Amino acid sequence: MTDFKNSVFQGRSVLAEKDFTAAELEYLIDFGLHLKALKKAGIPHHYLEGKNVALLFEKSSTRTRSAFTTAAIDLGAHPEFLGAGDIQLGKKESVEDTAKVLGSMFDGIEFRGFKQSSVEQLAEFSGVPVWNGLTDEWHPTQMLADFMTVKENFGHLKGLTLTFMGDGRNNVANSLLVTGAILGVNVHIVAPKELFPSQDIQDIANKFAKDSGADLVITDDLDKGMKGSNVVYTDVWVSMGESNWEERVNLLKPYQVNMAALKKTGTPDDQLIFMHCLPAFHDTTTEYGKEIEEKYGITEMEVTDEVFRSKYARQFEEAENRMHSIKAMMAATLGNLFIPRV
Ligand code: CP
Ligand code: NVA
């Protein structure tokens, strides 16, 4: 009889990229590309027929929630959204007790929230695969979509250079630095010194880079950081759970992704793309955007509207890929697929 546990991914949680090898991440990226092709061709792929998955959200979400929901439905599973205001978690019930209850009813659990320790405890006590939909520290499902998008555009990953400019110590920057290091993609972090990645994160990334040959550069010098980039990536200056707008605007104004910054790459047009995990502040059509304009006199933050709407922009393909890659991750960890090795 087939022992499903012999599959590389079956039953595994996805809590942080550092727990996966380059081959495993590449498999999930390629599987995402395959599932995208199946979806476009209208070919069903019900690997999770009859499964129930819980979607826990302590923080807001458009893409991650939509991606998990549609991916689960396409896979034949039933997704159940459990928002912060809807369940007892945190207020009347511990993560451990919640995990035990949810694990007895659901086959898999997505968690988006503040503490990495919460998603780790869910995995420890639920007995089912737990998928990290973003914590203060990491955003691993974003990475699957991001490197899938890079591969779609360039046909390969190793040897490319991805430059993240902005808040260099947020979850997305952490994840890009470590995932790039695992995959052999050179990662540049361009940020003011105050927002450099923590030493812990740098140590993790450096360890992987030794094996993969990725070149990691952390600098506050735009000329040095931008040079040779194939992917220029940015994220909001103030992440969910933070509120220090004035400090961030002052620190990060010189680190906006605009056309002048893209020019500094020196990269030919057909070898350069712009990415953003979204949501983005590229104009004043949002409440926060308007407030920032009134208070600090700027109409664009981490990226200009010109770059956001330019021929380099891939952020909406990247957003769509959240769905295909999350589907790959859920199917691989819960779908009893034959993946004896990668
Ligand atoms: N990129 C991303 O995680 O988007 P949401 O916050 O909308 O889920
Ligand atoms: N760094 C951002 C990412 C949002 C997808 C945040 O945590 O708010």
Side-chain angles (χ1 to χ4, degrees):
M1 214 180 94
T2 305
D3 181 357
F4 293 114
K5 290 281 177 219
N6 279 337
S7 176
V8 174
F9 295 99
Q10 187 67 23
R12 269 174 87 176
S13 290
V14 179
L15 306 180
E17 305 80 352
K18 63 181 165 53
D19 303 331
F20 290 82
T21 64
E24 288 169 349
L25 293 177
E26 279 161 14
Y27 174 86
L28 293 175
I29 291 164
D30 290 343
F31 190 23
L33 288 164
H34 172 72
L35 290 172
K36 184 172 184 175
L38 291 187
K39 171 84 175 172
K40 303 279 174 198
I43 299 169
H45 36 280
H46 289 177
Y47 299 120
L48 298 187
E49 192 83 59
K51 305 272 194 220
N52 296 313
V53 301
L55 309 181
L56 263 64
F57 282 84
E58 282 182 346
K59 291 177 177 171
S60 321
S61 167
T62 297
R63 277 144 291 272
T64 309
R65 178 179 175 178
S66 307
F68 269 98
T69 304
T70 52
I73 293 168
D74 278 357
L75 289 168
H78 173 88
E80 187 64 27
F81 178 76
L82 305 170
D86 308 326
I87 59 171
Q88 314 280 15
L89 177 64
K91 298 177 287 288
K92 282 178 79 179
E93 199 157 29
S94 66
V95 179
E96 178 177 345
D97 294 357
T98 305
K100 288 173 179 166
V101 173
L102 295 181
S104 72
M105 299 181 196
F106 289 96
D107 301 289
I109 301 170
E110 179 275 354
F111 174 82
R112 161 171 290 200
F114 295 91
K115 294 190 203 140
Q116 182 68 16
S117 61
S118 299
V119 80
E120 286 168 0
Q121 275 191 294
L122 276 175
E124 185 181 348
F125 295 109
S126 67
V128 299
V130 171
W131 307 296
N132 179 357
L134 176 149
T135 61
D136 291 344
E137 242 170 280
W138 306 110
H139 198 359
T141 64
Q142 182 73 49
M143 294 306 111
L144 297 178
D146 289 353
F147 286 94
M148 175 177 164
T149 309
V150 174
K151 191 160 185 186
E152 260 182 332
N153 275 274
F154 294 94
H156 70 285
L157 292 172
K158 228 175 157 64
L160 293 169
T161 298
L162 181 149
T163 298
F164 176 92
M165 182 152 76
D167 175 8
R169 30 105 298 177
N170 77 12
N171 39 20
V172 171
N174 290 346
S175 280
L176 285 169
L177 186 63
V178 170
T179 311
I182 296 172
L183 291 170
V185 174
N186 307 319
V187 181
H188 298 181
I189 303 282
V190 188
K193 284 200 173 67
E194 294 87 335
L195 298 175
F196 276 5
S198 72
Q199 197 53 51
D200 284 359
I201 301 287
Q202 291 191 43
D203 290 347
I204 295 170
N206 285 331
K207 190 170 69 66
F208 286 116
K210 257 198 199 130
D211 287 340
S212 72
D215 191 17
L216 306 180
V217 176
I218 295 169
T219 179
D220 60 354
D221 180 337
L222 251 93
D223 291 310
K224 186 176 165 209
M226 281 293 151
K227 201 169 163 38
S229 309
N230 301 106
V231 181
V232 175
Y233 195 123
T234 190
D235 183 14
V236 290
W237 289 348
V238 176
S239 285
M240 290 182 278
E242 299 180 323
S243 55
N244 45 345
W245 290 92
E246 184 168 355
E247 175 203 310
R248 288 293 166 76
V249 168
N250 289 331
L251 275 174
L252 286 166
K253 246 194 300 192
Y255 295 89
Q256 179 188 63
V257 176
N258 49 37
M259 282 300 180
L262 290 189
K263 263 223 161 72
K264 287 181 190 291
T265 62
T267 306
D269 271 4
D270 63 348
Q271 289 300 307
L272 178 64
I273 63 173
F274 166 76
M275 290 176 61
H276 192 309
C277 54
L278 301 176
F281 292 111
H282 57 97
D283 58 21
T284 54
T285 58
T286 60
E287 267 176 44
Y288 282 143
K290 278 196 194 79
E291 205 180 310
I292 295 300
E293 183 185 19
E294 278 158 25
K295 282 195 181 148
Y296 311 111
I298 54 168
T299 57
E300 299 155 318
M301 281 190 265
E302 72 273 12
V303 57
T304 59
D305 203 48
E306 188 183 11
V307 168
F308 196 80
R309 296 178 192 278
S310 72
K311 63 182 175 195
Y312 306 106
R314 296 292 185 280
Q315 67 275 4
F316 292 114
E317 288 90 331
E318 182 185 359
E320 179 191 326
N321 285 342
R322 297 296 308 285
M323 195 264 272
H324 306 296
S325 52
I326 280 171
K327 201 184 269 183
M329 176 192 70
M330 288 199 293
T333 53
L334 198 55
N336 298 314
L337 299 180
F338 180 67
I339 318 170
R341 69 189 75 82
V342 293

